[in-house]
Amino acid sequence: MKKIIALGGSNSKKSINKALATYVAKQVANSETIVADLNDFNIPQYGIDHEVEHGIPAGATRLHDLIDAADGLVISLAEHNGAYSAAFKSAYDWLSRINPKVWKEKPMLLMATSPGGRGAQTVLGIAKAGFPRLGGNIIADFSLPFFDTNFSENGIKDEALQTELNEKIKLLEAVI
Ligand SMILES: Cc1cc2nc3c(=O)[nH]c(=O)nc-3n(C[C@H](O)[C@H](O)[C@H](O)COP(=O)(O)O)c2cc1C
């Protein structure tokens, strides 16, 4: 069984991105899903003074080790004011202090969703441009607009989007 990490780039307990990442990771054939909820890692806001005084937080090291042990990553990013959520950015910054190859070249399906019509494409674009410089191996990417009307636990209601997503899941399955 391959290990797939499902990560939502948000600290919302009801995160729509965590829901999407979890749903998609569960579709990957012959794999088990490990949901990495940012709330479970207790990662403080990144700051150089914090790092000098206290070192790397244990939760950041735990998240690093989870990624290290994974066969594939399914990540869905929340968009806050056209950028990463603060919680995700802090986790990302801490991870980069442990190892600059944050994503360790693990095959990644990179997504973003929002309640609006742009489907968090701005933050998706930022990650598509930036992740490869930090060990990101993006196999495919996907944006889901209008989360509230398009998403259900049984699948994506918009048929064209579901077909597109299925194709991208297949691309991930082919390389893990
Ligand atoms: C501070 C803040 C800024 C936001 N900025 C954007 C934005 O730039 N683009 C967007 O599509 N949605 C934006 N939203 C709405 C989020 O997409 C929405 O809250 C979504 O649920 C976030 O994902 P999550 O549930 O996984 O945390 C913003 C929400 C907050 C709280």
Side-chain angles (χ1 to χ4, degrees):
M1 287 280 256
K2 301 291 185 180
K3 280 193 186 132
I4 306 292
I5 304 285
L7 174 69
S10 165
N11 63 355
S12 163
K13 287 179 188 159
K14 292 182 175 170
S15 169
I16 60 177
N17 285 280
K18 184 177 75 173
L20 178 63
T22 302
Y23 161 74
V24 170
K26 285 183 175 167
Q27 307 308 308
V28 178
N30 303 316
S31 73
E32 63 170 310
T33 300
I34 298 154
V35 179
D37 183 332
L38 283 182
N39 291 305
D40 295 338
F41 294 88
N42 233 348
I43 298 176
Q45 183 179 16
Y46 179 79
I48 187 68
D49 298 334
H50 189 296
E51 184 178 346
V52 169
E53 284 164 34
H54 307 288
I56 305 285
T61 303
R62 262 198 307 125
L63 182 55
H64 165 274
D65 293 350
L66 260 189
I67 294 168
D68 204 26
D71 297 296
L73 306 173
V74 174
I75 297 178
S76 188
L77 296 170
E79 181 171 298
H80 279 184
N81 296 317
Y84 300 126
S85 74
F88 174 80
K89 184 61 164 55
S90 256
Y92 189 34
D93 289 343
W94 280 114
L95 288 170
S96 74
R97 301 295 284 169
I98 298 170
N99 184 335
K101 292 267 175 215
V102 170
W103 308 116
K104 301 187 180 303
E105 307 293 343
K106 308 277 177 170
M108 180 192 295
L109 177 45
L110 179 62
M111 304 185 291
T113 189
S114 75
R118 272 186 49 78
Q121 281 180 53
T122 303
V123 73
L124 186 61
I126 290 169
K128 276 169 70 176
F131 279 13
R133 288 197 292 275
L134 282 89
N137 175 14
I138 302 167
I139 303 302
D141 65 271
F142 178 74
S143 156
L144 180 66
F146 300 120
F147 178 87
D148 296 330
T149 43
N150 271 330
F151 182 80
S152 91
E153 299 288 339
N154 303 319
I156 309 299
K157 291 179 193 164
D158 181 301
E159 223 174 287
L161 286 169
Q162 179 71 74
T163 302
E164 180 191 341
L165 180 57
N166 286 343
E167 281 164 9
K168 289 174 173 175
I169 292 170
K170 283 202 185 85
L171 292 175
L172 182 67
E173 286 171 345
V175 292
I176 58 168

